[in-house]
Amino acid sequence: MEEIIKISSIAQYNAMRGVATKHPLVTVIDLSKAQPVPAKSFNIGLYAVGLKELNSGQLRYGRRHYDYQDGSLVFVAPGQVVGVQPGIDLFAPTGWVLLFHPDLIKGTHLGKHIHDYSFFSYNVNEALHLSDKEKSIVIDCFSKIEYELDHNIDKHSKGLIAANIGLLLDYCIRFYDRQFITRDNVNKGTLERFEYLLNGYFSSDKPQNEGLPSVAYCAEALYLSPNYFGDLVKKETGRSAQEYIQLKVIDVAKERLFEMNKSVSEIAYELGFKYSQHFTRLFKQKVGVTPNDYRIMKRPLPW
């Protein structure tokens, strides 16, 4: 079984990189001045943001490998496992990496809103690809944090460092919004595959055996992380992925309610509901009437 090295402190990571520790809870490293990462798998107990500037190298996430292209940002949340292919460096030969301990942001505005930055749960193949101008802004943010670390720690340090990390992450939200737009054709292809997946799911016996399809199930089937998938669907449709699935369920239910030989309970079971009252509640919430009332309203005239 492959050994996984746990990185639980800034000092431990800095030692691996051969750089001095200026602050116990945060580090910014210009990787052209640091030792390369060994070809191992790492469980990182820190938040990490890495920028690779030159086009070489592969990063492994789980069992998949991804090109980590020029001017790309990748984000790692505490507890995630990443690895480096033998002979290839994670952020080498040049680039930047920011790591910070969760304790750094406790009690700060960033600490209260860190979970709003959903890209920390994206897969590596969903990295943020930067334009030259965007890359300059990101490097400037790294430099501002580095500037604070080069000064003696005082009562202002924590707030200023956290604020600058927040500024970097806010820019990343903006840049991801741009990436969703510029990759419009790719996104539409994903939505088409999502729709095809749902059609196939409800045409099979999976609902009876596995229940309603979850966002996580759909994301995995489309080879995307749940957060990236959810954000993509939201950007493209204005609806959450969960709401999109629910509306699909209602769409299929409306068709099946015309099958008068089936009870509402039978239809609910076919759609994956464990209890028919849950189906009735969702249907009324989305349509405005109960399934029985809808069936009566839409019943064809006998002449």
Side-chain angles (χ1 to χ4, degrees):
M1 188 174 178
E2 184 184 16
E3 178 189 8
I4 298 177
I5 299 173
K6 185 170 179 60
I7 303 291
S8 55
S9 71
I10 294 296
Q12 183 185 1
Y13 183 84
N14 284 342
M16 181 176 67
R17 284 297 199 176
V19 300
T21 297
K22 302 173 183 178
H23 192 293
L25 298 179
V26 59
T27 190
V28 175
I29 303 174
D30 177 347
L31 295 175
S32 65
K33 303 173 183 177
Q35 296 174 4
V37 170
K40 301 284 186 180
S41 289
F42 301 91
N43 183 331
I44 302 178
L46 310 163
Y47 288 99
V49 181
L51 169 67
K52 178 175 176 294
E53 295 189 85
L54 295 184
N55 185 10
S56 65
Q58 278 191 328
L59 185 66
R60 186 174 74 251
Y61 189 98
R63 295 184 177 180
R64 294 197 286 263
H65 300 87
Y66 305 107
D67 290 332
Y68 189 47
Q69 300 297 329
D70 181 28
S72 296
L73 275 178
V74 69
F75 304 85
V76 179
Q80 291 181 343
V81 176
V82 295
V84 185
Q85 280 291 87
I88 298 174
D89 304 328
L90 178 54
F91 297 114
T94 62
W96 292 78
V97 65
L98 160 71
L99 290 97
F100 58 96
H101 195 283
D103 287 351
L104 175 76
I105 58 175
K106 284 183 179 175
T108 68
H109 177 80
L110 177 59
K112 294 175 184 175
H113 295 277
I114 190 66
H115 296 297
D116 295 342
Y117 301 104
S118 54
F119 44 73
F120 275 107
S121 296
Y122 289 180
N123 286 338
V124 174
N125 64 319
E126 298 153 353
L128 176 58
H129 305 293
L130 303 171
S131 68
D132 288 341
K133 186 174 182 180
E134 290 168 349
K135 186 164 66 174
S136 296
I137 292 171
V138 166
I139 292 173
D140 185 58
C141 288
F142 283 133
S143 298
K144 283 184 170 66
I145 299 167
E146 185 180 43
Y147 173 84
E148 286 299 323
L149 295 179
D150 284 337
H151 288 72
N152 291 330
I153 299 174
D154 58 29
K155 64 180 182 180
H156 304 287
S157 299
K158 178 176 178 178
L160 287 169
I161 292 170
N164 279 301
I165 293 174
L167 178 64
L168 168 64
L169 300 181
D170 286 342
Y171 272 120
C172 291
I173 288 178
R174 170 185 279 181
F175 299 157
Y176 258 119
D177 282 348
R178 184 270 309 156
Q179 182 164 298
F180 279 121
I181 293 170
T182 56
R183 301 185 74 197
D184 189 53
N185 288 336
V186 175
N187 296 344
K188 281 186 168 53
T190 300
L191 285 178
E192 289 171 2
R193 290 188 291 122
F194 181 28
E195 185 70 21
Y196 182 80
L197 174 70
L198 292 177
N199 287 336
Y201 192 92
F202 288 111
S203 297
S204 70
D205 59 1
K206 284 186 176 179
Q208 297 97 301
N209 297 328
E210 301 176 25
L212 292 167
S214 66
V215 173
Y217 167 86
C218 294
E220 184 177 1
L222 297 172
Y223 302 102
L224 297 170
S225 67
N227 275 358
Y228 185 90
F229 173 63
D231 289 346
L232 186 155
V233 173
K234 182 72 172 179
K235 296 281 193 312
E236 287 294 313
T237 69
R239 299 189 179 100
S240 69
Q242 183 62 39
E243 185 180 5
Y244 193 101
I245 293 170
Q246 289 176 343
L247 291 175
K248 184 64 179 180
V249 171
I250 297 302
D251 227 24
V252 176
K254 285 178 178 178
E255 287 294 326
R256 297 192 183 180
L257 284 168
F258 285 105
E259 300 175 24
M260 298 300 182
N261 60 317
K262 293 180 180 178
S263 69
V264 170
S265 293
E266 287 174 317
I267 293 171
Y269 172 73
E270 287 181 356
L271 293 172
F273 288 88
K274 190 174 181 180
Y275 303 105
S276 62
Q277 56 265 41
H278 293 172
F279 167 59
T280 298
R281 188 183 306 124
L282 177 65
F283 194 95
K284 186 172 183 180
Q285 177 189 344
K286 298 296 182 183
V287 182
V289 295
T290 67
N292 267 324
D293 289 341
Y294 181 86
R295 173 175 264 177
I296 293 168
M297 288 165 53
K298 299 296 180 179
R299 182 178 295 171
L301 294 173
W303 60 84

